[in-house]
Amino acid sequence: MMVPVRCFTCGNVVGGHWEEFKVRTQEDGEDPEQVLDDIGVERHCCRRMLVSHKDLVDIVAPYQ
Amino acid sequence: MQDYEVEFVERGDREARFLVRGITPAFANGIRRAMIADVPTFSIDQLRVVENSSVMFDEQIGLRLGLVPLTTPEGEFEIGDEVTLALDVEGPSREETTETVTAYSGDIVSSDELVRPADDNIPIIDLKAGQRLEVEADAVLDHGREHAKHQGGVAVGYRHLQQVEVVGDKGEFADDEPHILRGVIEDDGELIATDEFDNDLTERYPDKELAVEDVPNAFVFHVETDGSMTVEDLVVRAVDSLRDRADELRESVQL
């Protein structure tokens, strides 16, 4: 659905990086590894939060 | 208690690494635990939902709002104090069916300027045409041991300071496997974070025989905060809470 606010494992706030991450990896086609290093999401627990996330609001919205 | 000295290796607002000399392992762990569980922070705890026609349930919105870090000033509030916040965001008009308006943590309005979201760009919920989210929330000051959302410190830990000494040259046919080490090393009194040489001692001391030893009673703390306070504040408040409890103990066992 929406990107998690914090990393499940360590509690670091990752939600704020999602939109930049999404634009740079999906629209500009940058390497996700590079982007994550760039925005300072270092630990692999936090990195998986962004890498494995999928926005679902657009898919769910018609079935309200 | 004997004197101890503190030296910063890296220093930022939300992330820092510092060396403390002259403390026992028990005291180092006490500081770590105090940073996680004893330093109180504000966090949204109660929600009054005026309207929620978004795709998420009220409870889900409540969870997301609770996880948003709020700034927590020192000394102004006591445990259990409440601050009211409000969030009111409306989706695009009915005609624009493909548009989306996102409610961000930055849209949260606080009744007290000292307590406000530490990050403004955390998405709370996407709102489609005709949807609306209007909530009133009470943030409460509490300890990290009550709920993880009240933890100010994130991934707080420490390691021994390690001393690296060159004892000789490596033999001609010695294996050249990497010698991985993490944390901070001391070389002739100079502090070097291991990521400066890719955590591999053979990068810094090629073809040398090395002796790596923990320096007794010297700990390198790595502290990150969620933004509710600076690293400096977090550490000072943690140590203060330890001192307060030690004083309390001394008083209560006095004859």
Side-chain angles (χ1 to χ4, degrees):
Chain A
M1 191 80 92
M2 296 292 298
V3 69
V5 177
R6 294 193 185 217
C7 169
F8 293 155
T9 304
C10 70
N12 193 23
V13 182
V14 292
H17 301 304
W18 168 246
E19 288 187 353
E20 182 184 351
F21 178 79
K22 189 180 177 184
V23 168
R24 288 175 63 176
T25 54
Q26 293 176 18
E27 285 166 33
D28 305 347
E30 281 184 64
D31 181 11
E33 181 186 348
Q34 218 73 58
V35 177
L36 287 168
D37 285 343
D38 230 37
I39 57 184
V41 178
E42 269 178 24
R43 283 183 289 277
H44 59 274
C45 61
C46 309
R47 290 165 89 97
R48 60 99 202 256
M49 300 304 297
L50 294 179
V51 169
S52 60
H53 178 252
K54 173 95 178 82
D55 273 330
L56 289 179
V57 172
D58 289 352
I59 296 165
V60 178
Y63 304 105
Q64 273 283 307
Chain B
M1 206 184 136
Q2 81 268 44
D3 277 348
Y4 55 88
E5 49 179 280
V6 179
E7 195 178 329
F8 276 87
V9 181
E10 288 163 32
R11 190 176 200 165
D13 253 11
R14 290 198 183 186
E15 187 173 355
R17 222 184 308 196
F18 57 91
L19 166 70
V20 187
R21 283 180 201 270
I23 58 173
T24 62
F27 191 66
N29 192 42
I31 298 173
R32 181 191 70 84
R33 289 183 53 159
M35 280 193 267
I36 294 169
D38 289 332
V39 178
T41 70
F42 270 103
S43 183
I44 290 175
D45 198 45
Q46 289 271 325
L47 217 56
R48 287 179 292 280
V49 180
V50 181
E51 184 180 343
N52 175 21
S53 43
S54 73
V55 295
M56 274 192 173
F57 296 119
D58 298 355
E59 291 86 343
Q60 293 176 294
I61 303 281
L63 172 69
R64 294 180 70 79
L65 288 173
L67 292 175
V68 172
L70 302 173
T71 54
T72 307
E74 162 96 89
E76 305 279 334
F77 299 94
E78 280 176 11
I79 299 297
D81 280 1
E82 286 186 355
V83 170
T84 309
L85 303 111
L87 177 65
D88 184 0
V89 182
E90 202 173 346
S93 61
R94 293 248 177 228
E95 293 83 56
E96 303 164 271
T97 46
T98 53
E99 295 293 306
T100 307
V101 171
T102 308
Y104 290 98
S105 57
D107 298 324
I108 297 173
V109 185
S110 175
S111 63
D112 191 328
E113 60 183 26
L114 292 172
V115 179
R116 51 177 312 281
D119 289 310
D120 286 339
N121 55 353
I122 304 167
I124 305 294
I125 182 70
D126 285 346
L127 296 167
K128 294 284 171 189
Q131 296 179 344
R132 179 184 173 148
L133 178 68
E134 187 182 353
V135 293
E136 226 178 85
D138 290 331
V140 63
L141 186 70
D142 215 334
H143 294 293
R145 77 173 88 90
E146 298 301 326
H147 194 294
K149 68 185 175 183
H150 293 293
Q151 285 180 8
V154 166
V156 181
Y158 59 87
R159 283 170 195 271
H160 259 116
L161 176 67
Q162 295 170 99
Q163 190 159 35
V164 177
E165 215 176 315
V166 179
V167 286
D169 288 330
K170 250 187 195 164
E172 200 181 338
F173 302 108
D175 52 7
D176 44 327
E177 279 172 6
H179 187 168
I180 303 294
L181 198 69
R182 288 177 201 278
V184 174
I185 63 165
E186 185 181 36
D187 183 14
D188 272 339
E190 193 191 351
L191 300 177
I192 305 140
T194 55
D195 27 358
E196 277 176 37
F197 47 87
D198 208 14
N199 303 309
D200 184 359
L201 282 177
T202 56
E203 296 276 322
R204 188 176 156 84
Y205 307 93
D207 303 320
K208 296 284 187 215
E209 190 82 42
L210 302 170
V212 181
E213 254 177 57
D214 288 347
V215 181
N217 295 337
F219 296 91
V220 181
F221 282 83
H222 179 258
V223 180
E224 270 177 62
T225 77
D226 62 357
S228 46
M229 62 194 87
T230 61
V231 168
E232 210 169 304
D233 275 345
L234 180 71
V235 178
V236 170
R237 289 183 210 181
V239 175
D240 282 348
S241 87
L242 274 182
R243 183 186 294 121
D244 288 348
R245 270 183 299 162
D247 287 346
E248 201 184 313
L249 178 68
R250 195 205 318 246
E251 262 171 45
S252 55
V253 296
Q254 223 140 43
L255 292 174

